[in-house]
Amino acid sequence: MTSWRVGRFSGLKAWAAVITAVGLSALAAGLASPGGEAVAKPPASMEFCKIYPTAHACAASPVVNCTTCHTVPPARNLFGAQVAEHLAPGAARPLSDADYIAALPAALKAVEALDADGDGISNLDEILKGSAPENGDSRPTAVSCTPGQTRSAAAGRWNTCGYDPVHAWRKVVLDVCGRSPTRAETDAFRRRLPSESSWREGISGQLDTCLRSPYWLGVNGVLWNLANAKINPQDSIKAGPRAGSIPLADYEWDYNLFAWMNTGDRDVRGLLTSQDFVKRVSDDPPTFAAVPDADLKGMRQAGQTVPREKRAGMITTRWFTTVNTMFTPIPRTTAAAAYRQYLGLDLARMQGLHPAVAEPIDYDAKGVAAPACAVCHSTLDPLTYPFTRYDGIIRNNYNPNRLKNFVRTDGARVVEAPEAGEIFGQKVANLLEWSQVAANSDAFAQKVTWDYWKMMVGREPSPADQTEFALMWKSLKAPDKFNYRVERMLHALVLTEAYGRP
């Protein structure tokens, strides 16, 4: 295996011990070799969601996990065994990726009416409703009320069978303003209840007020904490105010950019595409402003040292390249972090595998072409190439000749690594194109929506939430709906039953 810094990807080594040279997928509709052993196919995870776009597992991500059809890959579970039995019967093994993808829809269709786990529920019902077709203890659940319960709840103080406007309004005050509403405020809102348009206006107005509050926008506020998993702050290497013992970069600039792109009438895709450098102007009320490039000159350890024309939002900041790229010539950890943090695809869990033709190529002599490693690196390495011209620690800049600095430590061939790469099967010339493809993908919209859903609703989308969640992320993308404006999405999210049902 490779010696690159794996971080959360240490799990890849464990997986590699049990997979064959054919590769690993998120589906166990694995193939039967002439000897009867199971192998697996990387493209299956995304293909499954193309076949079942309304499946619960596909609502929040464009891929499914390997446990849909595997126990420990490549071994199949009960559902995977059924699919394998109907997958191009009689065809010579192993199937090519193209033949496999062509045969998969028919194989899945053939087992839809079957019941792999014997729980009395068809495979198709379990796939669509969010339970596991291979696990008899996993059954679809639905929260519903009888007609009598619905009428009774609607007439009560709290409507536990549907959307309750007072409950939703109180949650907005608590979740977004960070305080409890007063009795007078509550009574005033209740007076709006006879008119739906009036209570909707009351919730919308309250949300607008709270979205400008220090609790939402301030340091250590709601948006700050939402960004934590993406920025990964480490105080020991922080520069600027409250600097650590080894000040390398200041993550506060990253929080500024994150808040800037998630507020106002700004396009949230700027998280991956913005060329702005943003400062915090005031803490109360919290306000931000873009910094002119001329003002960046001479700023020691500034949050952005990459030329404007080479910037790609949060994934080219000084902090991001410092903590991820460091001194690595082919910064696989950097690409994997961007893939996970902004697209919701975790290669450590075999998500988002999309092998590129003739990859990987072992430019840095790390052994990535070994059969057990190639299954992941055929996706990861082409994802990484566009990051190779961005320095990590110290310089944190774009350098087209950067790889020449690593010949002595990583071999003469390292300079052959291209800047062009591939993401989601689409070839890109550089990181700017990479970020555009990523930002316009379904995965990005789903990840943004998922982050806010989990934060606001207080849990991940459930099978019962599937319709509302899918509508939310699709509307985020739609030009005539939210058009990638987060605050527009939040106004709709607080009106969902998932948010407003007690």
Side-chain angles (χ1 to χ4, degrees):
M1 283 294 286
T2 85
S3 63
W4 48 274
R5 188 172 72 88
V6 293
R8 289 186 58 184
F9 296 87
S10 58
L12 296 180
K13 293 184 177 179
W15 284 108
V18 296
I19 61 180
T20 70
V22 178
L24 177 63
S25 96
L27 256 192
L31 314 174
S33 69
E37 75 226 41
V39 295
K41 302 293 282 181
S45 59
M46 287 189 175
E47 193 65 22
F48 184 91
C49 286
K50 293 178 182 178
I51 298 169
Y52 298 114
T54 61
H56 169 65
C58 301
S61 173
V63 298
V64 291
N65 288 326
C66 53
T67 52
T68 302
C69 295
H70 285 291
T71 51
V72 177
R76 311 181 193 102
N77 59 31
L78 294 172
F79 177 66
Q82 285 187 339
V83 176
E85 184 179 349
H86 292 84
L87 187 71
R93 267 35 177 188
L95 296 178
S96 67
D97 283 357
D99 289 342
Y100 175 84
I101 293 302
L104 186 58
L108 288 169
K109 182 71 175 178
V111 303
E112 286 180 350
L114 303 182
D115 179 13
D117 54 13
D119 62 0
I121 304 169
S122 71
N123 293 334
L124 180 60
D125 280 347
E126 298 218 53
I127 288 170
L128 296 180
K129 295 178 181 178
S131 55
E134 81 287 353
N135 182 354
D137 294 328
S138 173
R139 304 169 67 88
T141 58
V143 179
S144 60
C145 296
T146 66
Q149 290 172 327
T150 300
R151 289 192 297 271
S152 176
R157 186 168 181 82
W158 300 106
N159 183 3
T160 56
C161 287
Y163 186 87
D164 188 298
V166 177
H167 175 73
W169 171 79
R170 286 178 58 86
K171 273 179 61 64
V172 167
V173 180
L174 287 166
D175 296 344
V176 189
C177 269
R179 64 176 180 83
S180 296
T182 66
R183 177 64 178 270
E185 289 174 321
T186 304
D187 289 344
F189 183 81
R190 285 188 179 278
R191 288 194 289 272
R192 292 177 175 267
L193 292 182
S195 168
E196 180 175 342
S197 61
S198 180
W199 64 250
R200 282 176 174 264
E201 180 184 347
I203 291 174
S204 178
Q206 186 66 66
L207 179 60
D208 279 334
T209 297
C210 293
L211 287 174
R212 301 292 171 261
S213 68
Y215 182 80
W216 182 261
L217 277 175
V219 174
N220 292 317
V222 176
L223 282 187
W224 184 287
N225 283 284
L226 183 64
N228 281 342
K230 305 179 192 306
I231 295 173
N232 186 24
Q234 301 173 36
D235 288 345
S236 61
I237 58 173
K238 183 185 183 303
R242 300 174 300 282
S245 56
I246 309 174
L248 298 177
D250 189 355
Y251 54 68
E252 292 191 28
W253 297 106
D254 294 63
Y255 284 104
N256 294 345
L257 180 59
F258 184 86
W260 174 259
M261 299 315 311
N262 278 272
T263 55
D265 195 39
R266 283 176 281 274
D267 188 327
V268 73
R269 289 175 295 182
L271 290 173
L272 294 178
T273 63
S274 176
Q275 296 178 326
D276 287 333
F277 180 69
V278 178
K279 66 179 179 180
R280 182 179 294 268
V281 177
S282 169
D283 288 324
D284 194 6
T287 53
F288 304 87
V291 178
D293 285 350
D295 292 351
L296 291 177
K297 295 179 179 179
M299 290 181 63
R300 179 176 173 79
Q301 295 168 323
Q304 182 58 273
T305 49
V306 174
R308 172 175 288 274
E309 67 275 11
K310 294 296 183 180
R311 296 175 193 166
M314 301 284 290
I315 59 176
T316 55
T317 67
R318 186 182 185 95
W319 179 263
F320 186 82
T321 57
T322 292
V323 299
N324 291 296
T325 299
M326 303 180 74
F327 301 108
T328 312
I330 300 180
R332 299 176 177 93
T333 296
T334 306
Y339 206 50
R340 180 182 69 252
Q341 293 163 2
Y342 294 97
L343 302 177
L345 299 171
D346 192 340
L347 289 172
R349 299 179 179 179
M350 304 302 156
Q351 296 172 344
L353 290 178
H354 207 294
V357 176
E359 289 286 351
I361 299 173
D362 198 3
Y363 292 112
D364 56 348
K366 295 298 187 293
V368 298
C373 302
V375 59
C376 295
H377 286 275
S378 59
T379 295
L380 177 57
D381 284 26
L383 280 176
T384 302
Y385 298 147
F387 290 87
T388 57
R389 272 55 176 182
Y390 290 81
D391 282 317
I393 291 178
I394 308 301
R395 293 185 178 89
N396 302 99
N397 209 332
Y398 176 83
N399 178 3
N401 299 311
R402 174 177 178 266
L403 295 181
K404 292 180 180 180
N405 298 323
F406 297 92
V407 170
R408 186 172 62 84
T409 55
D410 294 86
R413 199 179 182 191
V414 71
V415 297
E416 299 175 17
E419 184 175 6
E422 188 170 313
I423 177 171
F424 297 142
Q426 183 169 336
K427 295 186 182 301
V428 293
N430 50 48
L431 190 57
L432 300 185
E433 291 188 10
W434 188 106
S435 66
Q436 288 288 343
V437 173
N440 287 305
S441 68
D442 286 352
F444 177 79
Q446 289 168 336
K447 176 58 174 169
V448 170
T449 307
W450 189 92
D451 285 346
Y452 278 99
W453 185 286
K454 186 176 182 183
M455 180 178 70
M456 297 289 286
V457 177
R459 54 173 170 77
E460 298 178 8
S462 71
D465 301 325
Q466 176 182 313
T467 300
E468 287 185 321
F469 181 82
L471 178 63
M472 198 67 54
W473 74 258
K474 290 177 182 178
S475 296
L476 180 65
K477 293 191 69 174
D480 60 339
K481 298 294 184 181
F482 309 148
N483 196 24
Y484 289 100
R485 271 59 180 177
V486 164
E487 291 187 356
R488 296 183 197 176
M489 180 185 72
L490 291 177
H491 276 274
L493 195 156
V494 299
L495 294 176
T496 62
E497 185 168 315
Y499 187 80
R501 182 175 183 169

